[in-house]
Amino acid sequence: MKKNNGLAEGPDGLVHTARLPLSSATLNYLAGLIRGHMKKIGSRWRAPPAGKIAGIVLAVQRCDQRPGDLAGGNGVRRTTVSLWVREVVGLLAGRAPRLDRASKKIARKGGGVVLLDGSLIRTRRRTGADNRPNC
């Protein structure tokens, strides 16, 4: 039997799509932030529209896709995708409440624990007067 260790013939790169579990409102919101940012910095145009940039950035953030993989499939450079990710993270961070204000609001409502990353970790239940679930 003959071994075939040569390269496969075909296109230069294989492009695959990812299904993102998010709403169109999320995509439209992020695209609006990107459009506003482009207008503010005086960027006349970018190769893909703001909605496509939002989809690429969300694929990097949500599905942990590599920027280089998404760049090749969308006809842009890897560094461009990395720049978009940094810009969008900055835009979203600017919209988030400050930590001191958020913690004061939570304290007013009687909250005692704040999860910064959103991870829930199951722990043991307390006994006695503090018998409530802990996460």
Side-chain angles (χ1 to χ4, degrees):
M1 188 154 120
K2 184 178 178 184
K3 291 185 180 181
N4 186 3
N5 292 332
L7 296 174
E9 295 178 18
D12 293 333
L14 178 65
V15 178
H16 71 280
T17 58
R19 182 176 177 155
L20 296 175
L22 50 93
S23 67
S24 60
T26 301
L27 189 64
N28 291 333
Y29 176 76
L30 187 55
L33 284 179
I34 293 170
R35 278 187 213 98
H37 175 68
M38 288 176 15
K39 187 174 183 179
K40 182 179 176 183
I41 65 173
S43 177
R44 293 184 181 169
W45 65 276
R46 292 190 178 180
K52 184 138 183 146
I53 293 172
I56 292 170
V57 169
L58 289 171
V60 170
Q61 294 293 325
R62 179 73 186 223
C63 296
D64 203 23
Q65 294 287 325
R66 294 187 313 196
D69 293 342
L70 290 168
N74 290 290
V76 294
R77 298 182 186 272
R78 181 196 54 78
T79 54
T80 302
V81 173
S82 298
L83 171 72
W84 292 342
V85 170
R86 284 193 306 276
E87 281 182 347
V88 167
V89 167
L91 290 172
L92 291 174
R95 303 285 301 171
R98 289 182 23 183
L99 184 59
D100 59 341
R101 293 177 186 159
S103 58
K104 286 178 185 176
K105 183 177 179 181
I106 291 168
R108 280 195 306 269
K109 292 184 176 182
V113 177
V114 178
L115 298 173
L116 296 178
D117 67 351
S119 300
L120 292 178
I121 302 170
R122 186 62 115 180
T123 60
R124 293 184 190 158
R125 290 179 62 99
R126 295 182 181 174
T127 58
D130 290 332
N131 188 11
R132 59 184 165 81
N134 271 344
C135 291

